[in-house]
């Protein structure tokens, strides 16, 4: 279990990588930009980016309405 | 003080604009694509600020479900099913008669995007889908015109400024045009968030038009006004293999014209490709099969006796409403319009 701060809220997730986090939050395949501790991580690197407790993750889900 | 000086006095007093900025605005040309919630706020700001030329592009007509947030329209516009660009022009010319308004009642497509954006200093995003945004992104980067993205859904909003030759493009941030099913028609939207997004876009438009490059927002702004969050994403590096700003192949401009387009979540399917309609003749043709036919100079709305509705536009487009099923839409089209 990793205790993460995701978009400002604390969450405990059974996730090893950033790809797991995106998947667990139901954002897989969606237009999302991920930032870990203030640095943007390209989607090609999500699967190899390990997550650990205490990380601050921002998932910016692009909105298309208007 | 002339009436003209008086009109813009508060804006001219604002030092970063001043007299010089005001005359630059008067010489500016801005294109707003999509005249829904974002577009109506964008247009209001641009026209009130005295931008010289404002081009309004939209394919749709006013319906009562628009009135909650599309601030230039009223109940009469919806009752008459007026095209949004026509209703907008009616309001905007009363707000500032000095501005040259150019209304375009059409879809932006790979075939017409480049000519529709020609001569514009800026393109403002008022669209409601990523497919059109990718098309505008590619058309803007190909033509060297800055593109100011805005989007909203629920209580969330985003905005960013994309400048060819200077910033990465929309494709560098998100790879595909799939919105993941969250749209204003599935999860709704509240009016204040769209106003806020369009106002952020408008500020960036004013900065650009008066030439204040240093003040340009470089971050991608994202917020949730209901849950009290605001986040700024630092600029990401451009992708060297981005098909738009890296490889410069602009795929959306090369896309085959699609004749069938589902208007997301609205039980509406648009079928393009017919020759322009003579609306008077078609109103008569459709009368026997329909419960009611409503017409104005721009479109016909025919309520079919068997259920569903056809909306025929002068430019040859047809909306099949009351279904999300392309097969059913094709079959109604074939039955009443032909092939
Ligand atoms: Zn790019």
């Amino acid at each position: 279990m990793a205790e993460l701060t995701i978009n400002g809220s604390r969450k405990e997730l059974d996730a090893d990588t950033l790809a797991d986090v995106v998947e667990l939050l139901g954002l897989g395949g969606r237009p999302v930009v991920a930032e870990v501790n203030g640095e943007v991580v390209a989607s090609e690197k999500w699967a190899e980016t390990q997550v650990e407790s205490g990380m601050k993750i921002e998932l910016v889900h692009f909105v298309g309405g208007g | 003080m002339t009436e003209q000086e008086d009109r813009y006095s508060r804006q001219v007093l604002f030092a970063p604009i001043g007299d010089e900025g005001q005359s630059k605005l008067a010489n500016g040309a801005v294109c707003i694509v999509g005249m829904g919630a974002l577009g109506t706020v964008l247009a209001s700001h641009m026209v009130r600020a005295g931008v010289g030329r404002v081009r309004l592009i939209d394919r749709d007509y006013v319906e009562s479900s628009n009135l909650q947030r599309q601030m230039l329209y009223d109940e009469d516009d919806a009752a008459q099913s007026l095209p949004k660009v026509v209703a907008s022009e009616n309001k905007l010319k009363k707000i500032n008669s000095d501005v040259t308004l150019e209304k375009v009642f059409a879809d932006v497509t790979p075939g017409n995007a480049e000519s529709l954006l020609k001569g514009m200093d800026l393109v403002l995003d008022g669209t409601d889908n990523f497919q059109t945004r990718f098309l505008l992104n590619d058309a803007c980067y190909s033509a060297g015109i800055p593109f100011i993205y805005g989007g909203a859904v629920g209580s969330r909003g985003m905005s960013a400024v994309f400048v060819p030759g200077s910033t990465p493009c929309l494709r560098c941030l998100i790879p595909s045009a799939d919105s993941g099913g969250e749209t204003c028609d599935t999860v709704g939207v509240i009016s204040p968030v769209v106003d806020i997004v369009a106002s952020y876009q408008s500020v960036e438009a004013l900065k650009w038009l008066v030439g204040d490059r240093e003040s340009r927002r470089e971050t991608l702004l994202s917020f949730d006004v209901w849950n009290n969050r605001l986040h700024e994403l630092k600029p990401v590096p451009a992708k060297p293999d981005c098909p738009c700003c890296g490889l410069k192949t602009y795929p959306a401009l090369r896309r085959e014209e699609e004749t069938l387009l589902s208007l997301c979540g609205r039980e509406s399917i648009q079928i393009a490709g017919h020759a322009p309609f003579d609306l008077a003749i078609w109103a008569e043709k459709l009368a026997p099969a329909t419960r009611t036919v409503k017409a104005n100079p721009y479109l016909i709305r025919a309520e079919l006796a068997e259920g569903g509705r056809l909306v025929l536009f002068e430019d040859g487009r047809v909306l099949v409403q009351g279904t999300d099923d392309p097969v059913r839409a094709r079959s109604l089209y074939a039955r009443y319009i032909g092939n």
Side-chain angles (χ1 to χ4, degrees), chain B:
Chain B
M1 196 183 266
T2 67
E3 199 180 315
Q4 192 65 357
E5 285 164 347
D6 191 43
R7 171 188 288 264
Y8 302 116
S9 60
R10 304 305 187 277
Q11 185 167 289
V12 167
L13 274 173
F14 178 66
I17 294 183
D19 282 318
E20 201 185 320
Q22 191 60 48
S23 63
K24 285 183 181 164
L25 292 178
N27 289 318
V30 159
C31 178
I32 302 171
V33 183
M35 287 300 296
L38 290 173
T40 49
V41 176
L42 291 167
S44 170
H45 283 307
M46 295 301 106
V47 166
R48 286 179 193 277
V51 174
R53 268 166 78 203
V54 179
R55 185 172 294 169
L56 313 167
I57 307 178
D58 192 280
R59 64 183 175 203
D60 215 347
Y61 61 90
V62 182
E63 294 174 279
S64 61
S65 67
N66 303 146
L67 302 180
Q68 165 248 358
R69 66 195 181 285
Q70 304 187 11
M71 54 98 87
L72 290 176
Y73 311 133
D74 60 34
E75 293 177 359
D76 284 343
D77 300 326
Q80 293 178 61
S81 304
L82 274 189
K84 290 180 177 179
V85 289
V86 174
S88 294
E89 185 191 47
N90 292 343
K91 301 284 153 51
L92 293 167
K93 70 186 179 200
K94 286 189 206 160
I95 291 171
N96 191 345
S97 55
D98 291 337
V99 173
T100 304
L101 296 166
E102 304 172 352
K103 63 174 189 302
V104 181
F105 183 36
D107 228 356
V108 182
T109 66
N112 67 15
E114 287 166 294
S115 67
L116 285 178
L117 306 189
K118 206 172 221 142
M120 295 288 121
D121 296 319
L122 261 184
V123 174
L124 305 183
D125 176 10
T127 66
D128 61 0
N129 66 87
F130 279 111
Q131 199 180 341
T132 311
R133 283 192 183 93
F134 274 46
L135 175 58
L136 294 176
N137 181 70
D138 288 7
C140 283
Y141 271 71
S142 161
I145 305 170
F147 172 51
I148 305 186
Y149 157 70
V153 72
S155 58
R156 297 198 300 121
M158 291 178 80
S159 175
V161 184
F162 297 109
V163 183
S166 147
T167 74
C169 75
L170 180 63
R171 286 183 190 272
C172 289
L173 287 168
I174 49 172
S176 84
D178 177 12
S179 72
E182 256 196 9
T183 74
C184 296
D185 300 295
T186 56
V187 298
V189 65
I190 55 171
S191 165
V193 74
V194 217
D195 277 46
I196 295 167
V197 170
S199 295
Y200 271 115
Q201 290 174 276
S202 299
V203 175
E204 295 306 318
L206 294 178
K207 289 179 193 173
W208 184 269
L209 292 170
V210 305
D212 187 353
R213 300 288 178 265
E214 275 176 21
S215 303
R216 174 164 63 79
R217 180 186 292 278
E218 292 181 341
T219 56
L220 183 147
L221 188 64
S222 139
F223 45 84
D224 183 332
V225 292
W226 200 269
N227 296 300
N228 311 315
R229 285 211 86 229
L230 186 143
H231 185 76
E232 283 189 281
L233 202 68
K234 282 192 289 190
V236 299
K239 289 191 174 165
D241 60 347
C242 170
C244 175
C245 69
L247 305 175
K248 300 189 168 28
T249 57
Y250 313 114
L253 293 176
R254 319 251 167 285
R255 207 180 65 214
E256 289 285 301
E257 297 269 355
E258 287 174 66
T259 55
L260 197 101
L261 181 79
S262 159
L263 301 190
C264 188
R266 288 184 37 194
E267 293 210 315
S268 283
I269 290 178
Q270 174 179 289
I271 300 176
H274 196 280
F277 289 111
D278 184 325
L279 295 178
I281 291 175
W282 277 90
E284 270 178 49
K285 265 195 201 178
L286 290 171
T290 51
R291 277 184 306 196
T292 58
V293 182
K294 228 168 99 178
N296 67 32
Y298 314 96
L299 59 89
I300 308 173
R301 278 167 51 135
E303 306 282 346
L304 298 173
E306 63 169 293
R309 178 195 299 147
L310 296 176
V311 185
L312 279 64
F313 297 95
E314 217 183 356
D315 66 359
R317 288 179 300 125
V318 176
L319 278 186
V320 183
Q321 299 189 312
T323 180
D324 276 327
D325 175 10
V327 178
R328 161 105 178 129
R330 280 271 187 223
S331 102
L332 286 176
Y333 185 93
R335 200 167 325 150
Y336 296 103
I337 311 293
N339 283 308

